[in-house]
């Protein structure tokens, strides 16, 4: 697999955590590097009946041999880093770049009190936007200045590129989603930077010529938290009836929901240069496929849905999520 970038084709929360954790184990990944904005993203991993909701530590932690890194483009909250390293027991194989900018209490206060951020954009309130603003103003603190992070400081671009030089498998874990990108989403209802595949590579210090695969993760239906358009949106009650009601990992807010959007998936494939698609939560639309590991087990309607996605997006659907556990997946690669 070489260098694989995993990114989200919709508005975040498509199940990247599950896909990244599966790939880390299935492909014997040497390095899993987290990209994206920062702790505004919550990635969920389910393994051995335990549910992990990770906002800083990369989801590849489920493979005990995988080195876990956070690239310099990512904002870090030291309290959350320390808590998750402890919770995942990854102290010996976790590192973050000295150039990660640090979220401070003042950033969180501003994110939660600024009228535009709170009421118009409806941010996660985790301080990421104000911290990125300080970073651009060249006044943000850097991870290298924080005593509690000293032991984790790692030259992330050097380690990631070194692993690729040695022909090892590297996973770049994107966060958020294509349509909440600062550049490619519906401004101002967006996060505070670009989070598409090329930005994810930049976040960890990997150049475009080194990438082998871009996996675009789309859910079998679309959800969005915060403000902004959502084509075909169904109400919260209808979402509950269909089993599409979800609640934010970071905020606890009920996510807004809509049916699968083929044109958004196609546009996301273009912007991210996707080479393959992962479709998650197929079991929510077609309960009979719950837990399946075989494409042949899928019913006629579920297969027709996958075929239609492949036709419309012009990419193979290589991974299909059939349940929350990391190994509830159909791998067609
Ligand atoms: P911020 O990133 O906290 O500034 O929030 C800006 C917008 O992006 C809000 O609509 C958030 O709900 C949304 N957002 C940020 N991160 C995520 C994510 O990881 N998943 C889903 N939505 C997100
Ligand atoms: Mg999430």
């Amino acid at each position: 697999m070489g260098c694989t970038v995993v990114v989200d084709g919709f508005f975040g929360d498509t199940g990247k955590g599950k896909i990244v954790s599966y790939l880390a184990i299935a492909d014997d990944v040497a390095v899993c590097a987290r990209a994206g904005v920062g702790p505004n993203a919550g990635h969920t991993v389910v393994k051995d009946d335990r549910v992990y909701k990770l906002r800083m530590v990369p989801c590849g932690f489920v493979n005990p041999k995988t080195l876990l890194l956070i690239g310099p483009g990512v904002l870090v909250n030291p309290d959350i880093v320390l808590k998750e390293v402890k919770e995942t027991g990854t102290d010996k194989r976790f590192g973050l770049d000295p150039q990660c900018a640090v979220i401070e209490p003042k950033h969180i206060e501003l994110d939660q009190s600024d009228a535009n951020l709170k009421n118009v954009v409806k941010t996660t309130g985790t301080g990421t936007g104000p911290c990125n603003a300080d970073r651009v103003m060249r006044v943000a603190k850097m991870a290298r200045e924080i005593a509690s992070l000293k032991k984790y400081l790692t030259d992330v671009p050097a380690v990631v590129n070194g692993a690729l030089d040695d022909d090892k498998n590297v996973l770049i874990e994107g966060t958020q989603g294509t349509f909440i990108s600062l550049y490619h989403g519906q401004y101002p209802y967006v996060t505070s930077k670009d989070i598409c595949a090329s930005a994810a590579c930049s976040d960890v210090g990997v150049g475009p010529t080194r990438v082998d695969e871009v996996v675009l993760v789309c859910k079998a239906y679309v959800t969005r938290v915060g403000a902004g358009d959502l084509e075909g949106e169904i109400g919260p009650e209808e979402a509950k009836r269909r089993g599409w009601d979800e609640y934010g990992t970071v905020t606890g807010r009920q996510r807004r929901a809509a049916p699968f959007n083929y044109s958004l998936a196609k546009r996301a494939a273009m912007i991210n240069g996707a080479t393959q698609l992962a479709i998650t939560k197929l079991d929510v639309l077609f309960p009979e496929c719950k837990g399946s590991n075989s494409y042949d087990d899928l019913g006629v309607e579920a297969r027709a849905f996958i075929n239609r996605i492949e036709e419309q997006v012009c990419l193979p659907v290589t991974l299909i999520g059939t349940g929350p556990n990391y190994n509830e997946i159909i791998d067609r690669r």
Side-chain angles (χ1 to χ4, degrees):
M1 76 174 234
C3 182
T4 298
V5 186
V6 177
V7 284
D8 185 308
F10 289 149
F11 299 94
D13 310 312
T14 55
K16 290 177 292 301
K18 180 229 171 70
I19 298 295
V20 168
S21 54
Y22 169 74
L23 290 175
I25 292 176
D27 292 4
D28 198 17
V29 162
V31 178
C32 181
R34 182 158 163 148
V37 184
N40 49 347
H43 289 182
T44 304
V45 174
V46 185
K47 185 166 185 281
D48 304 329
D49 294 328
R50 270 198 71 179
V51 180
Y52 301 86
K53 295 194 178 279
L54 299 175
R55 295 167 59 189
M56 295 267 59
V57 168
C59 294
F61 88 92
V62 293
N63 180 340
K65 289 187 291 187
T66 304
L67 190 60
L68 309 167
L69 302 174
I70 298 181
V74 180
L75 307 175
V76 296
N77 178 322
D79 294 341
I80 301 175
V81 167
L82 299 175
K83 179 177 149 283
E84 290 184 359
V85 167
K86 196 169 169 215
E87 190 183 310
T88 52
T90 51
D91 185 59
K92 296 280 179 295
R93 56 189 176 102
F94 172 81
L96 54 82
D97 198 90
Q99 296 256 77
C100 292
V102 174
I103 296 172
E104 297 180 72
K106 64 179 179 190
H107 298 131
I108 297 173
E109 278 156 33
L110 185 57
D111 206 3
Q112 295 179 358
S113 61
D114 178 86
N116 181 49
L117 294 177
K118 184 170 188 269
N119 305 323
V120 181
V121 183
K122 299 187 174 153
T123 70
T124 60
T126 52
T128 48
C131 184
N132 267 333
D134 271 359
R135 188 173 202 173
V136 173
M137 294 302 286
R138 272 56 60 87
V139 294
K141 269 205 177 116
M142 298 276 109
R144 59 173 181 257
E145 299 171 60
I146 308 296
S148 63
L149 298 179
K150 276 251 150 64
K151 64 191 280 207
Y152 300 119
L153 299 182
T154 306
D155 182 343
V156 170
V159 175
V160 171
N161 284 283
L164 292 172
D165 292 343
D166 293 343
D167 287 329
K168 292 188 174 147
N169 288 341
V170 168
L171 257 184
I172 300 177
E173 177 176 346
T175 68
Q176 281 81 32
T178 299
F179 298 105
I180 58 170
S181 158
L182 181 64
Y183 299 165
H184 302 292
Q186 182 197 8
Y187 191 94
Y189 308 113
V190 290
T191 190
S192 54
K193 65 184 252 197
D194 180 32
I195 37 61
C196 295
S198 29
C201 292
S202 169
D203 286 343
V204 303
V206 164
T209 51
R210 306 222 71 172
V211 175
D212 298 292
E213 297 286 340
V214 177
V215 177
L216 187 75
V217 185
C218 293
K219 193 159 55 182
Y221 49 94
V222 185
T223 59
R224 171 164 208 176
V225 282
D229 286 351
L230 181 59
E231 195 187 324
E233 181 170 3
I234 57 171
E237 288 311 314
E238 177 62 13
K240 274 189 193 156
R241 202 185 60 74
R242 296 188 194 188
W244 297 5
D245 57 316
E246 297 181 4
Y247 302 86
T249 306
V250 175
T251 60
R253 297 182 283 195
Q254 183 173 349
R255 294 177 184 148
R256 300 157 60 204
F260 190 89
N261 189 318
Y262 296 89
S263 56
L264 285 184
K266 189 164 184 172
R267 186 171 173 83
M270 172 182 81
I271 291 171
N272 290 284
T275 58
Q276 46 183 308
L277 289 171
I279 301 296
T280 56
K281 298 212 179 190
L282 192 71
D283 56 301
V284 175
L285 294 200
F286 307 101
E288 75 278 4
C289 70
K290 170 85 174 91
S292 172
N293 294 119
S294 159
Y295 190 73
D296 296 336
D297 287 353
L298 296 186
V300 176
E301 286 180 22
R303 280 196 224 191
F305 178 59
I306 297 295
N307 287 341
R308 182 161 175 217
I309 294 171
E310 291 188 322
E311 271 169 33
Q312 301 251 329
V313 184
C314 303
L315 281 176
V317 173
T318 52
L319 299 165
I320 301 172
T322 57
N325 215 293
Y326 84 98
N327 58 4
E328 290 179 302
I329 196 163
I330 298 169
D331 186 347
R332 304 168 77 203
R333 292 177 299 161

